[in-house]
Amino acid sequence: MKLLSKIFKVTFPLFIIVACGFAVYLSISLKYTDSNDIKFIRPNQKLTSFNDIKNLPQLKNKVVVVDIWSVNCAPCLKQLKTAYDFKKKIASNDVVFLYISYNNRFRLDRHLKWKQLIGENKLFGYHLEVESKLYDKIWTDINSSTLNSVAVPRYLIINKQGLIINNNAAGLSAPQQFLQQILAAVNSAEQIVSR
């Protein structure tokens, strides 16, 4: 029995180390795999502010619906479950969805969990996982004198000209109101083009 105890004491920590190493390897190797409908914005692009993000080429001349969320946020996860069905109501090629996520860097499986949630919830659109410095800068950039909140989930709507027209949109907890806000942005963009 003492021999088994000694073997367990030695092998169990080694097993944990190997398992964690494998999880890190998987998270790095699987981190950024695009599909036709899910696109990952590479962190090697020099993004230092929300302005840099909203001016990315793939977002130009589009109405951008931004969802700021985290894998550790229960309300975010609840609302993500309705995202796929909600997006089917928006029949416009002029609207793209951008999901910005800040995940606890001390959680070893954060990339795996992030990608798993994206796939499970069919979060078609663009995805960006940010580090704490950029995350803090995003909040500084999007908040105003009348709204100074860092709560997630948070939804924004950006018009085709790249201006934030709603820095606290209704979101998936109020889908009808959110849909109206997005359609208003699309319609106002169409009116500007037709003038």
Side-chain angles (χ1 to χ4, degrees), residues 3-17:
L3 179 61
L4 282 175
S5 177
K6 285 182 181 181
I7 291 172
F8 182 75
K9 284 180 182 178
V10 171
T11 58
F12 186 72
L14 289 174
F15 173 76
I16 296 298
I17 290 169

Side-chain angles (χ1 to χ4, degrees), residues 107-151:
R107 182 177 169 158
L108 292 176
D109 69 337
R110 75 177 193 251
H111 297 299
L112 289 174
K113 185 69 173 171
W114 179 57
K115 294 206 54 169
Q116 176 189 0
L117 289 167
I118 291 168
E120 284 175 359
N121 293 295
K122 300 176 186 171
L123 300 180
F124 301 145
Y126 294 94
H127 296 270
L128 175 63
E129 185 181 38
V130 298
E131 297 296 327
S132 61
K133 186 176 179 181
L134 179 54
Y135 186 72
D136 292 342
K137 181 66 173 136
I138 289 169
W139 286 111
T140 301
D141 293 347
I142 67 172
N143 280 324
S144 65
S145 59
T146 58
L147 179 66
N148 191 17
S149 170
V150 292

Side-chain angles (χ1 to χ4, degrees), residues 50-56 59-64 66 141-142 156-166 185 189 192:
F50 189 71
N51 199 46
D52 292 344
I53 295 168
K54 69 180 184 165
N55 287 319
L56 287 166
L59 305 178
K60 285 281 191 189
N61 300 315
K62 302 280 186 186
V63 172
V64 183
V66 181
D141 293 347
I142 67 172
L156 297 89
I157 300 173
I158 301 170
N159 68 12
K160 286 185 173 187
Q161 291 72 37
L163 301 172
I164 299 173
I165 59 171
N166 192 330
I192 290 171

Side-chain angles (χ1 to χ4, degrees), residues 70-81 152-153:
S70 171
V71 298
N72 300 319
C73 165
C76 299
L77 301 181
K78 182 179 179 185
Q79 291 184 29
L80 290 178
K81 292 183 185 312
V152 292

Side-chain angles (χ1 to χ4, degrees), residues 87-101:
K87 284 192 225 175
K88 288 195 272 184
K89 297 176 184 176
I90 302 170
S92 174
N93 292 330
D94 293 332
V95 178
V96 295
F97 288 80
L98 170 63
Y99 298 89
I100 299 175
S101 182

Side-chain angles (χ1 to χ4, degrees), residues 21 48 104 137 149 195:
T48 59
N104 186 336
K137 181 66 173 136
S149 170
R195 287 183 191 168

